[in-house]
Amino acid sequence: MRRWLMRWWLLPVLLLVVLAQRPLLGPERAAAQLTAAEATPPVAARKPVRLTAHGIERVDDYGWIRDANWREVMADQSRLAPEIRAHVEVENRYSEAALAPLSALRVRLIEEMKGRIEQAETGVPTPDGTYAYWRKFVAGAEHPQLVRGRRDGSAEEVLLDGAAMATGKAYFNFGSTEHSKDHRYFAYLVDETGSESYTLRIRDVGARKDLPETVAEVADLTWAPDSATLFYVRLDSDHRARFVYRHRLGTDPAADQLVFEEKDLGFEVSIYGTRSGRFVMISTGSSDTSETWLIDGAKPESAPAVVVPRAPGLRYFVDDWGDRLVIRTNADGAGDFKVVTAPAAAPGRSNWRDLVPYKEGRQIVSVVAFAGHLASVEREDGLPRLVIYRKSDLAAHVVAVNEEAYALEFGNGYEFDTSTVRYLYSSPAQPQQTIDYDMESRERVLRKQQRIPSGHDPSAYVVRRLFATTADNEQVPVTVLHRKGLQLDGSAPLFLEGYGAYAYVFATPFNSNMLSLVDRGFVYAIAHIRGGLDKGQRWYEAGRRENKVNTFKDFITVAEYLTKAGYSRPGRIVARGDSAGGLLMGAVANMRPDLFAGIIARVPFVDVVNTMLDDTLPLTVSDFPEWGDPSADVETYRRLAGYSPYDNVAAKAYPHMLVTGGIADPRVQYWEPAKWVAKLRAMKTNDARITLIMRMSAGHFGAAGRFEWLEELGLIQAFALDVTGLAGGDARPVSQALGGSAPAAPLSTVVTPSSAGGPRRQQNLP
């Protein structure tokens, strides 16, 4: 699972473009200051390397852009080979020159979006016993404060001040955090390179200082109930999460005991404690197979015990229900999962009993166990819903939602013995609501309504859920947002996004930043293509491995469908895909470049054959279930070579492209976009502008600051306006002509990603 998201929040973080200690295309540097050389598209040196697999020879002209010392470069970007550094810096200078005419528009867009962010923002406190924990931003701060207070609302105290901790650092990001059960300690992860190389630290809350023990290269953590034992997951030398260690407070971390080691390089490990406190659970797995081990919470020194030994194709995920385990699983042909229970003392499959049986067409996305209830997010017809099951009699009810397209997910929570479940709800036109729902009384309490300081009227927009029919008679869902009153005569530009990999569901939450384009006359659409899990496991299987080309064909089908329906026309579409979605962008650019005015490929996975042949890279082995192993058989090799964007660049007219990468990126290494851009520029037969922005001090997720990342978002939107001919003049919102007053622009709730797993070629939603 290669490139995507994190824990419960699942909202993205966009990146700051950092170049030589200054923002790319910053307003302080005018186009007139750029030299003629900087304004000329770079021509990368061609140094052919002949590569052979299965007796088939390929020539890679730009393989030299990969630094042989790449592991060290991820940790310390200054170690990048001089020749390679010179090349990417020339690329950055050219991008700055080529995009400089958009600087004023970018500044306007950034200020629009920034003006809609609540400057002083406080999250909803999450209670745990006598305390509650939350994040807050002080006015103007890029990074949050991690805060706690008494449950009754008194005695607020700052545990960690992210803004102060980030001072003087080129990059800063919090990862996973967790307080001890006695509330005395607060364990947290920080990344100061952008390479997702997190360091574990432990704060003594009362003393207001960190303990001396720290651990580097940590991916995940959880406390044992005794508040003196901390479990954590460490990375190996190739950045794979494989080792679980146990640490006792007050001891030297060098003496920490190895509790679990994952020997299969295709598996990744995470760790968590159950809300009941009865178990610490080690979860390990690939996209096809998983396994869970239990550690007795009351005896943290005890050895882990396996629930069910791994078996090919068996996936299961475990929670504690107080008197038994509750397990979400695909066992017995339940492709979209069912829920079973088992005694913790004898959890083998022979003792599994169906609690929520498998139902075709219903996907059980996640379950959370409470003392008296089970809460489940389920998906039918591609839309999520919250279902509550009472433990005493298994009576079930659905929490109703009445919108055509929306997003719903669990919020954070610590407590087990409660009847309250928190969930987050929004739609493309409706800002996010944080709701506490009483599972017994069915009472809903709105704990927070996302506030847009400049104002927002959901009724000024149209949200549609459409279906595009493919050549093989599948129905691809499409979520559409546009201003009410927009003439659907094909004249509007279209901003179309897709992903289609790793069983990722492209959710449709409120994304107020996108309204900056919508208010200027764009139609915004999401293509829920095969390869994702939007319509269940079958939908995923139909878009991976030997079926991967369906992903690309579906996206093209959606684009064609929307043009025929009057939402836009060929040559007026701007497409965006991130990471594995960047593979989608590269493939459709090769297949149907005529459809697109522009393509935005962020940290794109485009050098598919070379990457999947190299098992020394951090994520290649774990990605074999997704793409196949091209070294194992010639059919897989030919299949990947048949669609790999880098290998299929040809002499043809391409759309304008905006491409990004990050030197410290462990998921999609920087050389993939760099090589692709070099080849595109050498092969294209038209005057398409191909620009590469390489972040020299960040990785896959870019900047973590809540305002910093608007730099890139402003550039993305200015690019979209430019290639569709709407960047001229003052490029202000045209929504007044469409009826009603335009909101100044949207507020997007930005949450820093944690370090925990999930699909790995990450989708960053805007």
Side-chain angles (χ1 to χ4, degrees):
M1 299 185 300
R2 192 171 288 261
R3 331 292 178 188
W4 62 272
L5 17 140
M6 306 296 166
R7 288 248 168 149
W8 61 272
W9 23 62
L10 302 186
L11 289 177
V13 182
L14 290 170
L15 45 89
L16 170 65
V17 181
V18 180
L19 282 176
Q21 307 301 317
R22 57 176 171 77
L24 178 68
L25 293 178
E28 77 286 348
R29 190 171 193 224
Q33 296 176 274
L34 300 165
T35 68
E38 289 174 328
T40 302
V43 178
R46 300 177 68 173
K47 302 178 183 180
V49 176
R50 298 190 179 278
L51 305 168
T52 303
H54 304 291
I56 303 170
E57 184 178 83
R58 289 178 301 119
V59 177
D60 189 347
D61 287 331
Y62 305 104
W64 63 270
I65 298 175
R66 168 181 166 152
D67 195 322
N69 198 35
W70 61 267
R71 291 179 181 84
E72 289 74 14
V73 170
M74 277 203 311
D76 181 359
Q77 290 80 58
S78 69
R79 301 185 67 175
L80 187 65
E83 180 184 27
I84 300 171
R85 175 174 290 277
H87 171 70
V88 296
E89 287 179 346
V90 167
E91 286 280 8
N92 281 334
R93 287 194 295 272
Y94 165 67
S95 295
E96 187 162 358
L99 300 171
L102 302 178
S103 291
L105 175 57
R106 285 185 61 225
V107 169
R108 189 175 303 119
L109 289 163
I110 291 167
E111 290 305 309
E112 251 182 47
M113 292 182 283
K114 188 174 181 179
R116 298 157 191 159
I117 294 177
E118 197 169 4
Q119 291 284 313
E121 183 185 9
T122 299
V124 181
T126 303
D128 186 18
T130 57
Y131 285 92
Y133 294 79
W134 67 99
R135 294 187 176 208
K136 65 182 292 186
F137 287 93
V138 300
E142 292 281 2
H143 299 277
Q145 293 179 339
L146 308 187
V147 180
R148 81 171 184 186
R150 292 285 180 176
R151 190 175 188 137
D152 61 9
S154 64
E156 175 182 311
E157 58 184 315
V158 176
L159 303 173
L160 297 169
D161 187 339
M165 296 170 70
T167 300
K169 297 179 174 66
Y171 182 91
F172 179 85
N173 186 28
F174 284 120
S176 295
T177 64
E178 189 174 310
H179 59 273
S180 61
K181 310 309 176 186
D182 65 1
H183 304 282
R184 180 178 175 184
Y185 300 103
F186 192 79
Y188 65 100
L189 302 181
V190 289
D191 176 11
E192 297 180 355
T193 67
S195 64
E196 301 172 61
S197 295
Y198 289 88
T199 298
L200 167 63
R201 300 174 185 169
I202 305 168
R203 171 137 301 203
D204 183 326
V205 177
R208 298 186 179 182
K209 65 179 181 180
D210 288 348
L211 301 180
E213 52 251 45
T214 63
V215 185
E217 303 292 338
V218 174
D220 203 3
L221 61 87
T222 195
W223 287 95
D226 67 1
S227 298
T229 305
L230 184 67
F231 293 91
Y232 60 89
V233 178
R234 285 199 70 173
L235 304 175
D236 67 10
S237 60
D238 288 324
H239 214 83
R240 298 168 174 134
R242 293 180 49 215
F243 308 108
V244 176
Y245 283 87
R246 179 171 49 234
H247 175 71
R248 293 287 296 178
L249 292 186
T251 67
D252 184 351
D256 287 352
Q257 183 176 358
L258 178 64
V259 174
F260 178 86
E261 177 180 356
E262 179 52 70
K263 302 292 181 106
D264 189 331
L265 299 183
F267 279 46
E268 289 192 348
V269 178
S270 61
I271 192 163
Y272 60 97
T274 61
R275 293 189 188 212
S276 68
R278 192 155 69 126
F279 297 107
V280 171
M281 296 198 176
I282 299 170
S283 179
T284 182
S286 67
S287 61
D288 284 337
T289 304
S290 67
E291 182 180 70
T292 299
W293 295 69
L294 306 181
I295 298 174
D296 187 337
K299 301 175 182 177
E301 299 292 330
S302 61
V306 69
V307 175
V308 171
R310 67 189 67 179
L314 174 65
R315 301 175 67 205
Y316 68 94
F317 306 92
V318 184
D319 201 352
D320 177 50
W321 214 6
D323 59 347
R324 53 191 141 154
L325 302 179
V326 61
I327 303 169
R328 183 174 68 95
T329 180
N330 69 345
D332 307 315
D336 286 325
F337 290 90
K338 63 178 180 177
V339 179
V340 303
T341 62
R349 284 190 63 178
S350 62
N351 292 324
W352 286 10
R353 299 292 180 266
D354 282 2
L355 178 71
V356 183
Y358 174 65
K359 176 185 174 184
E360 187 172 355
R362 177 190 64 189
Q363 179 193 2
I364 300 178
V365 179
S366 56
V367 295
V368 177
F370 298 88
H373 299 84
L374 189 73
S376 174
V377 172
E378 302 174 0
R379 185 177 291 108
E380 288 195 79
D381 298 322
L383 291 174
R385 62 181 191 170
L386 178 61
V387 184
I388 306 300
Y389 300 88
R390 185 190 291 129
K391 187 176 184 180
S392 60
D393 57 8
L394 296 184
H397 70 272
V398 177
V399 180
V401 174
N402 295 310
E403 289 198 70
E404 195 166 333
Y406 58 89
L408 185 151
E409 61 181 317
F410 286 125
N412 202 10
Y414 301 118
E415 296 185 314
F416 178 68
D417 192 5
T418 178
S419 63
T420 300
V421 61
R422 178 168 296 172
Y423 68 93
L424 311 176
Y425 173 82
S426 70
S427 79
Q430 178 64 247
Q432 181 175 283
Q433 298 175 336
T434 302
I435 298 170
D436 281 353
Y437 181 77
D438 190 301
M439 295 178 282
E440 191 60 36
S441 70
R442 306 191 185 186
E443 178 185 5
R444 304 187 206 200
V445 177
L446 178 63
R447 297 301 306 276
K448 182 177 181 180
Q449 171 69 64
Q450 182 181 350
R451 192 176 78 86
I452 301 174
S454 60
H456 172 69
D457 179 10
S459 69
Y461 301 90
V462 174
V463 177
R464 296 294 312 278
R465 189 168 179 84
L466 309 172
F467 293 89
T469 303
T470 66
D472 58 348
N473 208 35
E474 291 285 0
Q475 299 293 304
V476 181
V478 187
T479 301
V480 171
L481 172 72
H482 62 80
R483 286 286 300 192
K484 187 175 291 184
L486 181 72
Q487 295 299 311
L488 301 180
D489 57 5
S491 62
L494 169 67
F495 195 96
L496 178 63
E497 291 199 88
Y499 188 70
Y502 297 106
Y504 172 65
V505 174
F506 206 132
T508 56
F510 183 67
N511 175 12
S512 60
N513 288 321
M514 187 52 65
L515 298 183
S516 292
L517 290 182
V518 172
D519 286 341
R520 287 171 166 84
F522 265 82
V523 173
Y524 173 53
I526 298 170
H528 303 276
I529 51 185
R530 282 177 281 186
L533 204 63
D534 303 73
K535 293 177 70 174
Q537 185 70 17
R538 184 189 69 84
W539 201 244
Y540 170 49
E541 297 291 347
R544 70 163 176 163
R545 294 178 69 96
E546 63 273 9
N547 300 316
K548 187 60 195 171
V549 71
N550 286 336
T551 301
F552 318 137
K553 290 180 178 179
D554 284 0
F555 192 83
I556 291 169
T557 294
V558 168
E560 292 174 332
Y561 166 79
L562 291 173
T563 61
K564 292 173 183 175
Y567 287 95
S568 190
R569 65 173 182 262
R572 294 283 283 161
I573 303 171
V574 179
R576 173 181 167 178
D578 299 356
S579 204
L583 163 62
L584 170 67
M585 294 298 100
V588 299
N590 287 331
M591 295 167 70
R592 285 295 307 276
D594 58 295
L595 283 173
F596 307 103
I599 283 182
I600 299 158
R602 294 189 60 259
V603 289
F605 173 42
V606 286
D607 192 12
V608 178
V609 176
N610 282 326
T611 294
M612 295 308 299
L613 283 171
D614 187 353
D615 62 9
T616 69
L617 295 176
L619 307 174
T620 292
V621 176
S622 62
D623 269 1
F624 287 158
E626 181 73 19
W627 313 103
D629 180 358
S631 64
D633 63 90
V634 68
E635 289 78 11
T636 300
Y637 176 91
R638 291 186 187 278
R639 184 173 69 246
L640 269 59
Y643 66 72
S644 171
Y646 179 64
D647 294 284
N648 287 279
V649 173
K652 64 177 67 175
Y654 280 94
H656 299 295
M657 293 193 190
L658 176 63
V659 183
T660 73
I663 295 296
D665 191 343
R667 298 171 185 258
V668 178
Q669 284 72 27
Y670 75 87
W671 57 80
E672 294 205 33
K675 290 168 57 179
W676 183 47
V677 164
K679 192 171 184 180
L680 281 166
R681 211 179 275 132
M683 296 290 289
K684 67 184 177 68
T685 60
N686 62 341
D687 60 355
R689 184 183 63 209
I690 312 290
T691 51
L692 172 67
I693 297 171
M694 185 65 70
R695 302 176 308 281
M696 307 303 287
S697 300
H700 200 68
F701 300 104
R706 62 173 177 157
F707 301 128
E708 290 176 329
W709 58 266
L710 294 177
E711 291 287 336
E712 186 180 352
L713 188 51
L715 177 58
I716 285 172
Q717 295 196 358
F719 171 86
L721 290 164
D722 183 41
V723 299
T724 53
L726 297 182
D730 65 2
R732 296 185 184 278
V734 298
S735 52
Q736 291 90 340
L738 303 176
S741 59
L747 157 68
S748 181
T749 302
V750 180
V751 184
T752 304
S754 86
S755 62
R760 302 256 303 276
R761 295 198 191 273
Q762 161 116 17
Q763 167 68 16
N764 288 320
L765 307 182

